[in-house]
Amino acid sequence: ILEVEPGGAADTAALRVGDILVGIDGRALDSVDSLGEALDHAAGPLPVQFIRGDRSRVRQAVAVLEKHAEAA
């Protein structure tokens, strides 16, 4: 995580700058592209798996995403 927007999904899930996302909804993330693909169709509560500090321990949180209207 490079930035946490106040009131945004990462903030409400208590994610912090420096956390490393390793999974979304049980799907492993291996690149920024896989993160984008996982988020493209996501809305509502979304379980995320991340590492903070101790790299041997994966933590869990739930991010709530809102679907944004696409520009025409």
Side-chain angles (χ1 to χ4, degrees):
I1 304 286
L2 299 175
E3 182 178 359
V4 176
E5 182 179 327
D11 185 35
T12 59
L15 295 173
R16 299 180 188 165
V17 170
D19 288 348
I20 301 169
L21 294 179
V22 295
I24 292 184
D25 201 18
R27 294 176 41 193
L29 298 176
D30 58 5
S31 68
V32 173
D33 290 336
S34 64
L35 172 61
E37 289 170 12
L39 294 176
D40 277 347
H41 305 289
L46 188 67
V48 295
Q49 296 77 45
F50 66 99
I51 297 172
R52 176 181 295 154
D54 179 3
R55 294 185 184 267
S56 67
R57 181 174 160 215
V58 175
R59 299 171 184 234
Q60 304 268 345
V62 175
V64 177
L65 305 177
E66 293 182 20
K67 207 57 165 160
H68 295 284
E70 294 184 24

